Amino acid sequence: MAARKAMVAGNWKMNGSLELVEKLSDAINNAEFSEVKIVLFPPFPLIPAMIASGVNTGAQTVSEHTSGAFTGEVDAELIKQLGANYVLVGHSERRSVYKESNDVVAAKFARAQQAGLTPILCVGESETERENGQTEQVVAAQIDAVINKLGVAALEDSVIAYEPVWAIGTGKTASPEQAQTVHKFIRDKIASLEGNLAQGLTILYGGSVNEKNSELLFAQTDIDGGLIGGASLKAESFAAICNSAKGTV
Ligand code: PEP
């Protein structure tokens, strides 16, 4: 069984600058975070600078295609060639704003792995789906799209991020108990197919995580760290969140 390691990922969305790359990388490089895997996801043009700063870097999205007439899209191979190692797939903003279906997300996941990138598969329910008691059904369908396309073994070289849509950018965080319940559901679901893989799988929580709530969230048995949006744009907050992940896995 692969040992899990705490992980904190920062999704800058369409924010950031070269100055911010310097600030954030200084904060990370000047602290001791060897126990925690830290990865930042800046917009595409900032990827080379982030890599040059020595911080693990990923892309926020990737094309499911390899090449061709897809204006504005970026192939996984190019991202890998730059030296990035991760890519987010299925972020709720991609699903809702750009109408990416479970099948498209699964195709992006496949293309990322084919090029040697580790996909972080983002899953999560909307507020209405939670109110209707559909959380597990929605999350299961999002994960099954990948399993049905590639087999459960594909999850071995991936990370799952549970991000309830109602908690993203809203200041409404899931309680540690609410988040743990869904994380356990995800791990148990995968364990029913492949026990060792499920035990080794990193499952992150995302949705309004900040330096005040991260410690309790990360202390939950099945929460291995966080995917951080807004707070990853502030060097002090992000460093404090990374610090709170130490010793939690
Ligand atoms: C995100 O963008 O994945 C996210 C979790 O954002 P925030 O932390 O701002 O809610």
Side-chain angles (χ1 to χ4, degrees):
M1 174 175 58
R4 307 206 297 263
K5 186 174 178 176
M7 179 171 186
V8 178
N11 173 19
W12 282 10
K13 314 192 188 201
M14 201 173 75
N15 299 295
S17 60
L18 284 169
E19 291 71 35
L20 195 64
V21 170
E22 204 174 310
K23 261 198 203 158
L24 259 288
S25 57
D26 281 353
I28 294 166
N29 293 333
N30 293 335
E32 218 295 285
F33 291 128
S34 56
E35 288 171 56
V36 183
K37 180 109 196 162
I38 299 172
V39 189
L40 282 174
F41 294 79
F44 277 118
L46 296 178
I47 286 179
M50 189 66 84
I51 290 169
S53 79
V55 175
N56 282 313
T57 306
Q60 296 174 15
T61 184
V62 66
S63 173
E64 65 272 40
H65 305 288
T66 50
S67 64
F70 301 105
T71 301
E73 292 293 295
V74 178
D75 175 40
E77 189 66 46
L78 290 182
I79 297 169
K80 180 72 184 169
Q81 276 175 20
L82 285 177
N85 291 315
Y86 290 86
V87 65
L88 300 179
V89 297
H91 189 278
S92 72
E93 287 147 22
R94 301 294 315 177
R95 291 181 189 268
S96 64
V97 182
Y98 299 98
K99 309 292 174 223
E100 291 181 4
S101 64
N102 282 345
D103 287 348
V104 167
V105 172
K108 286 172 185 268
F109 185 107
R111 178 63 194 137
Q113 282 192 334
Q114 201 180 43
L117 296 170
T118 300
I120 299 187
L121 173 66
C122 304
V123 298
E125 81 288 1
S126 68
E127 191 150 38
T128 312
E129 288 163 342
R130 173 163 284 263
E131 283 165 5
N132 291 342
Q134 294 171 315
T135 299
E136 292 186 355
Q137 184 190 328
V138 169
V139 166
Q142 290 169 335
I143 296 171
D144 281 339
V146 171
I147 294 177
N148 294 339
K149 184 177 176 66
L150 301 168
V152 67
L155 293 177
E156 180 138 26
D157 295 316
S158 79
V159 171
I160 291 183
Y162 169 59
E163 299 205 299
V165 179
W166 49 271
I168 297 180
T170 58
K172 283 196 230 172
T173 320
S175 69
E177 296 72 25
Q178 280 175 322
Q180 165 59 22
T181 301
V182 182
H183 279 237
K184 182 171 178 340
F185 167 75
I186 293 171
R187 203 179 303 282
D188 287 351
K189 171 185 166 49
I190 295 165
S192 72
L193 300 169
E194 184 55 71
N196 282 350
L197 190 159
Q199 285 315 310
L201 183 67
T202 299
I203 309 179
L204 307 178
Y205 169 77
S208 297
V209 176
N210 58 41
E211 66 273 39
K212 296 195 184 82
N213 58 29
S214 57
E215 197 173 328
L216 271 182
L217 284 161
F218 297 170
Q220 304 302 307
T221 316
D222 290 293
I223 299 182
D224 305 317
L227 176 53
I228 320 298
S232 72
L233 296 164
K234 297 174 222 143
E236 275 181 25
S237 302
F238 190 67
I241 292 168
C242 293
N243 211 40
S244 70
K246 283 183 182 172
T248 58
V249 174

